Amino acid sequence: MERSTEDRKGWHPLLTAAAWTASGYTTLLCGLAVAGIYVYYRFQGDEAYGNWFTFLMETPTGLLLLLVLALNILTGGWRAAIRCRQLPSFTASYVQSLDISATFPEPDAPWTGALSHWLTLKGYQPVLAGEKGYSIRGQWSFLPQVTLRFGILLLLFGLFLSHHARLEDRTVLGPGETGQLLGDPVRLVELRANLPETHLQVGREKNFSIQGITAELEDSRGPLTVTQGWPVKSGSRYYAITGVGFAQTFLRAEASAASQAVRVNLDVLPPGKEDKVLLFGDTVQVSLYPEKTVSKGRLSGELFNIAQPSYLLEQTETEGVVVSISPAGQEDSGGALQGSQTAYWARIRAVRDPGLILIHGSLSLIGAGLLLLATNFFWYRREVVFIRGEREIVVGYREQYLKKWGIQRFYRWKEELSMILETPGHVPDEQAGGPEARGEEK
Amino acid sequence: MTESLLAAFLVALRESLELSLLLLLIDSYFKARSAERYGARAAGYGALAALVAGGAAGYAFLDPDGGQRGLWAFWGSTSSGLLFFSSPFLLGKRLPARKARLGILLFGTGFLLFFFEAGALASVLKGTGLALTNNGGAMLSGLAGLLAGLAILGLFSRFVLPRLDTSGVWSLSSLVLSLGAIRLASSGMDEFYEHDVVIGLQLGLTRWLSEAVHHVQALLLIAPHPYLEMPASGLMSFLGGDRIAMALTLAVIFFPPVWILGRLVAAPDPEVGHIRVGAEKRMTMALFRQDIFRQGIPMMAAFFLMVVQVHAANLSLNPLFDPKPVHVSADEDERVIRIPLADAAGDFSDRRIRKYVYFYGDRKIVFLAIQRPDGLVATALDECEICRPASWNVKAIGYAQRGENLVCKYCVTPISAHSVGDPGGCNPIPFESDADEQYLYIAVDKLIETWNEAQKIEKAGTHF
């Protein structure tokens, strides 16, 4: 922070203000604090996240904060990369500005070769320029941080795009049916609903769950298979299954004509859920009817037959009166209705969202960045710089992180350096070949 | 009336003592830094100005029962949080040398420290005065309490503080951290603030996180579904759960002291390679470590305060629920105890523990009932087969409920609600019962038999 302030000396005040806005944790925290306080003041109550997110995405203040945040992330990453890649300057002030430096009397004999050899033994590849030189390790160690920052930046952009440009549509289709999704026809070719044969409902908490629903769809780009898991991409659209249910045909018992058969899509899953449908002109409330009550040891619950479901039909106009119980393929108790074979329907959701691919990519980058960030515990920039002064040699050392250990390592090096520079022809191998030379961390 | 006036005096005294503690820390900072000695007076003026301004604002504008209390409390908590969380940014910083800047800074700090508290106190005193129709009396009591607290400060500052060696203890960041920590730990005024910052933070984070995870799921088109199993639902539910919220709360709360302490410990050891005398080397290192230790005292104290605060918040958010046993009796022929599943106290589906007591002659049988997550109503004695507290500690017999699960009041072993009704281990000793839509039925002979068996274990001395 201090260095960056120094860097800005002589800048135009406006430029300095802009640089300050775009970088520095203080700005970021101030921004978030203002956002938090504003949201608290504006939306005290429920939906804390929803209101906060809407505030960030839709209000000018929120968008400004997002912009500041994006600039902050961008410039922070840029500065991290520049700092890591930066080559040292061969000035006494630069060397002394490093974490630690030491001055040694210049020997009469040539010394650069001995120093280079010693650095090589320590695992550094020296770059010489006459009687000065440097060696830097971990010049690419900014990559984890930049990956993470880029991921966050992409996520912000993806969120913004997704919030403002997402379009979605839903339709309920039975096998062989065609519906319109986002203006294009989509046909459900086949539905494989791998429903359980039976379901035992114990207690009030719903424990019904389905796995393995697969829909074979056909849209303008060709066939595709959609499962209940991750959405499937076709062109610019994503398809997902958001529900399944029974497509039940009911027949009027006294009428044999085909026109008296009615097929209705029943949304009665999980067992216990009620749906209202129009059946032969009447609004009827339908729910799954348990086949029996089962006791298993100390537990007891209602057993629902899912493969051959039975329904409880209640006429809503005559409140609370059970009109009939209609097991599939059997007549109801009153003889007025008859259930026929059970089929299934699926609720298909189509989404067009240009931001989603960015969000997927950004989450991958953030994950990778976080994992890579762990490598920064041992992979970070370390630089050794030496120059020749009037009648002395100045050696400086800096580590990007874990500076304490770096400084203490340099304390140990100082004794070795003194010996090397006193007698440049002799390199004390037993001391120089320390743990660092073997690539070990202290 | 006397009691209310005394209460007003005590409330003001308590707040005044808290204020005194803050002022003492500031005073000790300036005393330890003779170069910045001129700041002590400015800090005092800043605090006084903030107190007067806050008190006047609170008295004039804050209706003791009005709706602005929440907003006032929010800003009070925010000011404490600002102090606490700004401390890492003050690492290595010193007070400005120019008096004008210093004055503004100290007034700002005084404002954050005292303004809202003074306002809240004035409002509470005003409320007492209105209730007693003796406004002057309440204000005088409050003023007396304030002065008493400040007198204690004066005495401490005059006689005790000079004897304490605080050199090397304070830095600007550790002072601000300590002030913020005390403010957060004292949690505002009980009479005024609904709940403290840590509880608010944790509740807010829990809600925010849960909503955020739902939003991410909806964004990725894998929103939770009532019956379709969605990918990564377990991971998302974990990420949006209260454990992560608690972990985040801890990370946020402990960040300032841990960060500052970490930076302190990361200071490199002094170079002693050039020192030829061993004793001198050791002395240099010892002085360095002593210096680090002294500088670390405020951070450790703040850390400890926050641990207490988080623990208190955790207890407050997950209190032990230990209902008093309700007396039940059997039907006329003493065969069955019939307990309604729903009554004025709610119904069993709330999954809270119920305790009952049945008197069998002169003996008292305490048992519990709870609806398990699988829907079954389980019944058991309010004791276990394993351990039993000593006779002087009989109140520790039995179980209480924390969250969904039971906890043994004696050995604090958590018992999953799923396993209540199953025998063995630390579980409460179960006995059979039946339930229909309306009632829980307990056979008296079964209850007595189970209780007798439990007493045999006790007599045989197989309890720990």
Side-chain angles (χ1 to χ4, degrees), chain A residues 272-294:
Chain A
K273 186 179 177 188
E274 292 163 346
D275 191 17
K276 280 184 182 169
V277 293
L278 196 64
L279 205 58
F280 302 111
D282 292 327
T283 304
V284 178
Q285 186 169 288
V286 188
S287 60
L288 281 178
Y289 189 75
E291 199 170 66
K292 56 183 174 182
T293 299
V294 175

Side-chain angles (χ1 to χ4, degrees), chain A residues 407-424:
Chain A
I407 290 170
Q408 290 180 185
R409 181 179 294 127
F410 193 79
Y411 290 161
R412 294 194 298 276
W413 287 1
K414 272 172 80 175
E415 289 182 28
E416 296 177 22
L417 281 168
S418 296
M419 292 171 69
I420 291 163
L421 293 173
E422 270 174 25
T423 51

Side-chain angles (χ1 to χ4, degrees), chain A residues 40-362:
Chain A
Y40 182 90
Y41 187 66
R42 172 78 180 76
F43 309 104
Q44 286 182 56
D46 293 333
E47 295 203 12
Y49 173 83
N51 288 322
W52 184 81
F53 189 74
T54 311
F55 161 69
L56 273 185
M57 291 291 160
E58 291 183 2
T59 64
T61 324
L63 289 171
L64 186 68
L65 278 171
L66 268 188
L67 190 68
V68 170
L69 181 62
L71 275 174
N72 191 294
I73 292 166
L74 197 66
T75 52
W78 178 254
R79 281 167 52 184
I82 293 290
R83 278 181 188 171
C84 250
R85 298 293 302 163
Q86 192 181 32
L87 294 179
S89 134
F90 294 121
T91 58
S93 62
Y94 179 81
V95 179
Q96 277 156 7
S97 75
L98 299 179
D99 290 345
I100 186 162
S101 61
T103 306
F104 304 92
E106 188 184 2
D108 297 328
W111 50 272
T112 48
L115 196 55
S116 298
H117 181 57
W118 178 81
L119 278 172
T120 311
L121 287 173
K122 293 288 178 197
Y124 287 85
Q125 293 301 319
V127 178
L128 296 174
E131 290 188 313
K132 51 199 174 190
Y134 67 88
S135 180
I136 301 173
R137 281 167 67 179
Q139 270 189 300
W140 292 97
S141 59
F142 64 89
L143 285 176
Q145 194 190 136
V146 168
T147 308
L148 181 65
R149 283 173 178 270
F150 187 62
I152 296 172
L153 203 63
L154 208 61
L155 179 67
L156 290 179
F157 188 55
L159 285 174
F160 179 79
L161 265 185
S162 181
H163 187 75
H164 289 284
R166 175 179 275 203
L167 292 173
E168 64 176 90
D169 201 359
R170 288 160 205 256
T171 189
V172 170
L173 296 175
E177 289 178 355
T178 302
Q180 291 285 319
L181 279 169
L182 293 171
D184 281 340
V186 175
R187 182 165 168 266
L188 176 63
V189 180
E190 190 189 348
L191 178 65
R192 290 190 291 278
N194 189 20
L195 297 183
E197 291 277 309
T198 57
H199 171 67
L200 182 65
Q201 177 65 44
V202 180
R204 297 176 192 185
E205 197 171 288
K206 299 285 180 259
N207 52 355
F208 180 75
S209 70
I210 304 178
Q211 291 173 312
I213 306 282
T214 308
E216 301 291 345
L217 293 182
E218 207 171 79
D219 72 352
S220 55
R221 297 176 71 91
L224 66 148
T225 303
V226 181
T227 64
Q228 71 184 65
W230 294 98
V232 175
K233 195 164 190 289
S234 168
S236 60
R237 297 154 169 229
Y238 295 85
Y239 291 102
I241 298 174
T242 59
V244 286
F246 300 110
Q248 186 68 53
T249 304
F250 289 101
L251 304 168
R252 263 194 203 274
E254 72 272 27
S256 56
S259 59
Q260 293 301 309
V262 174
R263 191 178 119 142
V264 283
N265 290 333
L266 300 175
D267 189 8
V268 290
L269 290 177
K273 186 179 177 188
E274 292 163 346
D275 191 17
K276 280 184 182 169
V277 293
L278 196 64
L279 205 58
F280 302 111
D282 292 327
T283 304
V284 178
Q285 186 169 288
V286 188
S287 60
L288 281 178
Y289 189 75
E291 199 170 66
K292 56 183 174 182
T293 299
V294 175
S295 293
K296 286 184 178 176
R298 302 184 69 181
L299 298 178
S300 67
E302 293 178 324
L303 185 76
F304 291 89
N305 188 337
I306 304 295
Q308 287 286 314
S310 303
Y311 305 101
L312 173 66
L313 300 153
E314 293 172 274
Q315 206 165 28
T316 49
E317 279 83 8
T318 52
E319 197 179 331
V321 176
V322 177
V323 173
S324 61
I325 300 162
S326 174
Q330 296 175 29
E331 287 188 4
D332 72 304
S333 55
L337 285 172
Q338 187 178 358
S340 181
Q341 198 172 0
T342 308
Y344 303 106
W345 56 261
R347 187 179 295 116
I348 310 290
R349 178 190 192 193
V351 173
R352 187 182 290 145
D353 186 347
L356 197 53
I357 195 158
L358 296 181
I359 292 170
H360 283 142
S362 68

Side-chain angles (χ1 to χ4, degrees), chain B residues 289-304:
Chain B
R289 282 174 191 157
Q290 192 185 29
D291 193 35
I292 294 276
F293 175 77
R294 291 178 74 86
Q295 287 182 57
I297 291 172
M299 273 70 85
M300 291 307 295
F303 186 87
F304 178 73

Side-chain angles (χ1 to χ4, degrees), chain A residues 29 166 210 242 244 414, chain B residues 89 207 219 225 227 229 271:
Chain A
L29 282 175
R166 175 179 275 203
I210 304 178
T242 59
V244 286
K414 272 172 80 175
Chain B
F89 298 99
R207 204 171 63 179
L219 205 65
H225 194 276
Y227 55 89
E229 283 196 6
E271 189 179 6

